[in-house]
Amino acid sequence: SRASSTTGGPECTIVGERVFMGAGTKINASTKISDDVYIGANSYVKNDIDSKGLFVGTPAQKIRNEIPGHPHRVVDGVGVV
């Protein structure tokens, strides 16, 4: 489900479907994260993430389109079972 502010104000953070965040992940206010995103532990999401894939680091950067070892991996924007 989507998590966001009920008022939709300027501090609204939107998290898409099937988003997985590792422990210690930090997200800036007013950030939007698209569907099918994996964020590594202790990463810092400074800007919007508008594509599927695996993001890690400070600030979080995309390192892969494919999610290794996950049954519903994302490869070049297409879900693979």
Side-chain angles (χ1 to χ4, degrees), residues 7-81:
T7 62
E11 296 299 315
C12 181
T13 297
I14 299 173
V15 178
E17 303 287 333
R18 297 170 305 281
V19 173
F20 298 90
M21 293 179 244
T25 297
K26 294 164 189 65
I27 302 173
N28 257 5
S30 303
T31 302
K32 295 175 183 76
I33 300 174
S34 69
D35 298 338
D36 300 308
V37 170
Y38 290 69
I39 302 169
N42 297 312
S43 294
Y44 170 53
V45 180
K46 181 178 179 182
N47 301 310
D48 292 351
I49 295 178
D50 56 5
S51 63
K52 302 173 183 181
L54 174 61
F55 294 77
V56 298
T58 302
Q61 296 182 12
K62 187 175 194 174
I63 61 167
R64 290 192 178 177
N65 289 328
E66 181 177 337
I67 309 304
H70 190 273
H72 300 287
R73 298 186 315 267
V74 179
V75 180
D76 296 327
V78 179
V80 178
V81 177

Side-chain angles (χ1 to χ4, degrees), residues 4-9 12:
S4 64
S5 163
T6 56
T7 62
C12 181

